[in-house]
Amino acid sequence: EFRRVLFRSAKAKRPEACLELARLRSNEALGRPGPDGRLTAAQTASIIAPLAFAHGKTPLLPAIYDLAGDTWARSSASPGKDEARMMVEGAQLFPTRLKLIFQAGVMARDTGDARSAHALADHGIKWAPDASVRQRFEALKTSLPPAPPAEPDPKSGPARK
């Protein structure tokens, strides 16, 4: 009965219900991981689906992005560009959550979004509360390709010769 009510609430576009449904699925999946001890692609998809649905809807819940990051970290599947973009947006919404910032930076790197990965690594280096956290962000930064050139400021108009 509880699962049915929760599922109906999630379908009614309630972020809190989507989060709880994803937590329920995560707990079940962690109890029976795939043969390699990691979440399977199907388990990962079942957890991520309600989180992706709730992403960006009010109320904005940092736990949506926390659970998504932890799910991808435990998954045998690899995130795509859309999943990485969701995590980068979560990191922008909640810039004090350094674990989220780091996970989003790794996902951005792994999906080829070097600009976001550099920005997130730089943010983590700047705001790290201690040397060990700073070292993790510095290691992420050194694993990245060279930073792409900065985008031109649209307010400044075309470049003059």
Side-chain angles (χ1 to χ4, degrees):
E1 177 64 21
F2 172 72
R3 287 178 69 95
R4 194 175 41 186
V5 170
L6 187 59
F7 188 70
R8 264 190 272 132
S9 294
K11 289 193 111 182
K13 302 180 184 179
R14 294 192 176 114
E16 299 93 338
C18 292
L19 175 60
E20 290 309 315
L21 179 61
R23 282 181 176 151
L24 183 65
R25 290 176 177 177
S26 177
N27 289 336
E28 289 174 352
L30 290 171
R32 39 186 182 79
D36 61 355
R38 301 177 62 77
L39 297 176
T40 66
Q43 289 171 320
T44 301
S46 77
I47 298 164
I48 295 296
L51 299 175
F53 183 79
H55 157 69
K57 293 179 176 59
T58 56
L60 298 173
L61 303 172
I64 287 170
Y65 306 98
D66 295 340
L67 182 55
D70 290 344
T71 299
W72 285 115
R74 293 180 172 129
S75 179
S76 59
S78 297
K81 289 186 181 288
D82 289 340
E83 291 84 9
R85 189 174 312 114
M86 177 181 128
M87 290 297 291
V88 169
E89 289 171 6
Q92 291 169 335
L93 290 169
F94 302 102
T96 61
R97 298 181 85 85
L98 292 179
K99 181 179 177 185
L100 170 60
I101 302 293
F102 185 81
Q103 290 172 326
V106 169
M107 288 176 67
R109 176 198 65 198
D110 292 349
T111 59
D113 183 0
R115 184 179 314 282
S116 294
H118 274 280
L120 292 164
D122 290 341
H123 179 83
I125 291 166
K126 179 178 180 180
W127 296 104
D130 58 55
S132 65
V133 174
R134 190 173 305 104
Q135 286 173 343
R136 290 199 70 195
F137 280 101
E138 288 170 347
L140 172 60
K141 181 87 172 167
T142 60
S143 74
L144 300 174
E151 291 182 0
D153 184 1
K155 295 177 194 169
S156 64
R160 294 184 179 160
K161 294 184 181 184

